[in-house]
Amino acid sequence: MPSFTAPTKDLQFVLHDLLKVSEQDIPGFEDLDRDFTGAVLEEAGKVASDVLAPLNQVGDTEGCHLENGVVRTPKGFKEAFEMMKEGGWTGMDCDPEYGGQGLPYVMHTAAQEPLVSANMAFNMYQGLTHGAYSAIYAHGSDEQKQTYLPKMVSCEWTGTMNLTEPHCGTDLGLMRTKAEPQDDGSYKITGQKIFISAGEHDMADNIIHLVLAKIAGGPEGIKGVSLFIVPKFMVNEDGSLGQRNTLSCGKVEEKMGIHGNSTCVMNYDEATGFLVGEAHKGMRAMFTMMNEARLGVGLQGYAQAEVAYQNALEYAKDRLQGRAVTGAEAPEKAADPLIVHPDIRRNLMDQKSFVEGARALTLWGAYLIDRAHKNDDKEADGLISLLTPVIKGFQTDKGFEFATAAQQVYGGHGYIEEWGMSQFARDARIAMIYEGANGIQALDLVGRKLAQDGGKHVMAFFEMIKDFIKENEGNEQLKAGFLDPLKAASKDLQAAGMYFMQNGMKNPNNALSGSYDFMTMMGHVCMGLMWARMAKAAMEAIEGGASDRDFYDAKIATGRYYMARQLPATGMHLARINSGADTVMALEAAHF
């Protein structure tokens, strides 16, 4: 069975050496000193390693089963969920008015990482509830908040989001689920939704579905979509549960991965629903959920790569195969361990440099969300809006790539189920698809986010990189290995943006055919910025007499690897973008 150890020291490094959270002028950050965050992360790590990780393969092999209208979750899930509730892990950053602990979102995000690595499918039950909480918190009425949020914070009731229908996924304007207004102010919701994660299960007393539907007579297309609360069980005025609503789970999907999470077909048969926010403004409310979810999915991408990397590293150190080309390194043994071989080192360094860079990028994103919300910082809000499709798209692409790279270290054993490595790849695969497939993330980035507010935020991003390079150009230790590669990659990205400006207007396909390359380029540049900042932080820690010199030296060496071996990919992506749309669009559909 695979093992997992929470990367607490690495999380602490990002929080304190890189982001310097306790020094920030954001309400609540003053409490995030090293002792406090360390204690929280140590406990999260224990829950992850001792409770959730042992259930990961159980969930994968047993899956979820629909019995008489109720989905039965895998053995041990219910008990683990009760432990999560009792430990307060489900409401860390939620409003204390509704039973939350009120911690910053960045702390919630850091604590989530080991839980996701240990058991991604299990953690989705609380993760989706958190997203539904956020949507109601931001857009619901006071009565709705009082009725639903306390129970959702504690996860006595869980939550879902219902968007997709059999005939429409990305194009939600095509949805057919309808909402008929009633005299008492409620609505009757009728329709079918598919791919509903945690849509039905046996771990909560109630499930609060957030459902997109169209009110008759509303505008056509996406502008006519509204959002509704549709509870599994009706809630009485005193907060107790009443009769069951007229909704049901018609099927549990058989999936490639995340078997421990119940992915349901949900049928609504004139189910009672309650409008959230304004009529025909459902997408605005749903995007509150989706933007948070997209950062969480970006975390899933690298969190699966992290646990896969840990096991591949352990295997590479233990498995004896061949001799080092420069001479035996373990002459007393029949062969040297795999890790002596340069190609194995390359594979592991690819994985390590990605995971550590993605961790920094994700927590920086969470920090920006805190700054935007708690300080009403419009620049931070614009920057995280720009970065969200990159964090989601790039990190899930690479997370899957490196989960499979970890399999490769095992050779044939990586393909055998008993070793557990295939589960990490199969679980990671969904992250590239849900919460907006990665092609859609790329289109969102190029088609919407680059031009948002007149291009203000992407220009601020480039200026941020330029300022960092200028401020540190006198640091010779940083310059050659970090600043020069970052400058070159940033110029590649700017050149790609310039190509879109010059060629995208006359032929939009020139921009859209290069959008995926641009998203990937920007992911690399973001990672390059993170590694340059982390290298500087590590150098400062060493200069300050840090006791664990090896840890900081390893950070710098890992960063140098990324800058030398991964970041130059921006040149390839720029060449693809500059080739335009002609080769992409050359064939008629019939000729494929």
Side-chain angles (χ1 to χ4, degrees), residues 410-440:
Y410 280 70
H413 291 304
Y415 201 66
I416 303 300
E417 288 295 339
E418 70 177 273
W419 288 84
M421 296 302 290
S422 75
Q423 184 184 352
F424 302 134
R426 288 186 287 104
D427 286 356
R429 185 64 183 88
I430 185 58
M432 300 165 70
I433 300 172
Y434 62 16
E435 303 306 337
N438 287 354
I440 299 300

Side-chain angles (χ1 to χ4, degrees), residues 89-107:
W89 298 107
T90 61
M92 285 182 62
D93 65 320
C94 297
D95 193 331
E97 182 178 347
Y98 305 109
Q101 298 176 44
L103 292 174
Y105 182 65
V106 72
M107 193 65 226

Side-chain angles (χ1 to χ4, degrees), residues 343-421:
D343 191 61
I344 295 292
R345 290 291 190 100
R346 172 202 57 78
N347 190 335
L348 292 171
M349 285 296 284
D350 281 347
Q351 296 173 53
K352 178 178 172 65
S353 63
F354 161 71
V355 166
E356 293 181 17
R359 176 178 295 118
L361 179 56
T362 302
L363 291 179
W364 181 45
Y367 157 84
L368 289 172
I369 289 174
D370 276 324
R371 178 164 288 282
H373 291 173
K374 294 177 179 290
N375 288 26
D376 195 27
D377 188 323
K378 302 302 182 187
E379 285 72 25
D381 189 53
L383 185 55
I384 189 55
S385 179
L386 173 72
L387 294 177
T388 294
V390 180
I391 292 172
K392 194 280 184 187
F394 178 78
Q395 291 185 183
T396 58
D397 275 355
K398 293 296 181 181
F400 174 71
E401 177 184 332
F402 292 126
T404 58
Q407 272 187 293
Q408 191 73 13
V409 173
Y410 280 70
H413 291 304
Y415 201 66
I416 303 300
E417 288 295 339
E418 70 177 273
W419 288 84
M421 296 302 290

Side-chain angles (χ1 to χ4, degrees), residues 63-346:
C64 297
H65 303 282
L66 181 60
E67 299 175 0
N68 301 318
V70 178
V71 172
R72 304 297 177 189
T73 51
K75 182 179 179 181
F77 270 44
K78 288 178 71 172
E79 293 79 4
F81 205 59
E82 289 302 315
M83 185 175 295
M84 294 290 289
K85 296 176 192 177
E86 292 169 7
W89 298 107
T90 61
M92 285 182 62
D93 65 320
C94 297
D95 193 331
E97 182 178 347
Y98 305 109
Q101 298 176 44
L103 292 174
Y105 182 65
V106 72
M107 193 65 226
H108 162 84
T109 304
Q112 283 293 299
E113 185 197 315
L115 305 180
V116 173
S117 288
N119 197 324
M120 177 172 155
F122 174 90
N123 204 63
M124 288 170 64
Y125 291 97
Q126 65 148 333
L128 287 155
T129 305
H130 190 280
Y133 158 90
S134 296
I136 297 172
Y137 185 78
H139 301 282
S141 66
D142 289 341
E143 181 182 358
Q144 288 171 340
K145 293 177 187 178
Q146 293 296 334
T147 300
Y148 299 104
L149 295 190
K151 297 288 189 180
M152 295 176 73
V153 168
S154 67
C155 270
E156 292 174 71
W157 300 350
T158 58
T160 70
M161 64 168 87
N162 287 236
L163 292 82
T164 307
E165 298 182 9
H167 56 282
C168 75
T170 300
D171 191 354
L172 291 172
L174 298 175
M175 73 173 56
R176 297 172 185 159
T177 300
K178 60 182 182 179
E180 298 179 0
Q182 305 298 298
D183 292 340
D184 62 359
S186 67
Y187 290 77
K188 293 297 183 185
I189 311 297
T190 301
Q192 184 180 79
K193 298 289 184 176
I194 62 171
F195 306 154
I196 309 306
S197 301
E200 165 59 36
H201 59 85
D202 57 0
M203 299 195 300
D205 296 333
N206 202 2
I207 301 175
I208 310 305
H209 300 285
L210 291 187
V211 182
L212 287 179
K214 288 185 173 180
I215 302 171
E220 291 296 317
I222 199 68
K223 294 182 179 180
V225 172
S226 301
L227 182 65
F228 300 89
I229 292 172
V230 187
K232 176 180 175 180
F233 290 99
M234 302 304 295
V235 181
N236 298 320
E237 288 188 11
D238 62 0
S240 63
L241 296 183
Q243 65 183 14
R244 172 142 187 172
N245 210 346
T246 52
L247 59 90
S248 62
C249 172
K251 178 186 178 184
V252 175
E253 300 286 5
E254 294 286 338
K255 309 185 298 295
M256 176 179 173
I258 55 167
H259 297 155
N261 195 268
S262 55
T263 304
C264 301
V265 174
M266 298 300 300
N267 297 315
Y268 296 89
D269 185 12
E270 295 192 344
T272 299
F274 306 96
L275 182 66
V276 178
E278 298 178 48
H280 317 309
K281 302 291 185 183
M283 290 309 299
R284 183 173 63 183
M286 187 58 82
F287 268 114
T288 298
M289 254 181 112
M290 291 181 70
N291 284 334
E292 175 188 306
R294 284 171 175 169
L295 186 133
V297 173
L299 185 150
Q300 287 180 336
Y302 84 79
Q304 288 304 289
E306 163 70 28
V307 65
Y309 164 72
Q310 286 190 19
N311 285 276
L313 175 62
E314 184 178 345
Y315 187 85
K317 289 180 176 179
D318 183 64
R319 175 77 165 175
L320 302 180
Q321 291 287 290
R323 288 293 187 190
V325 69
T326 52
E329 294 200 12
E332 76 284 1
K333 297 180 180 178
D336 288 334
L338 281 172
I339 200 167
V340 306
H341 303 299
D343 191 61
I344 295 292
R345 290 291 190 100
R346 172 202 57 78

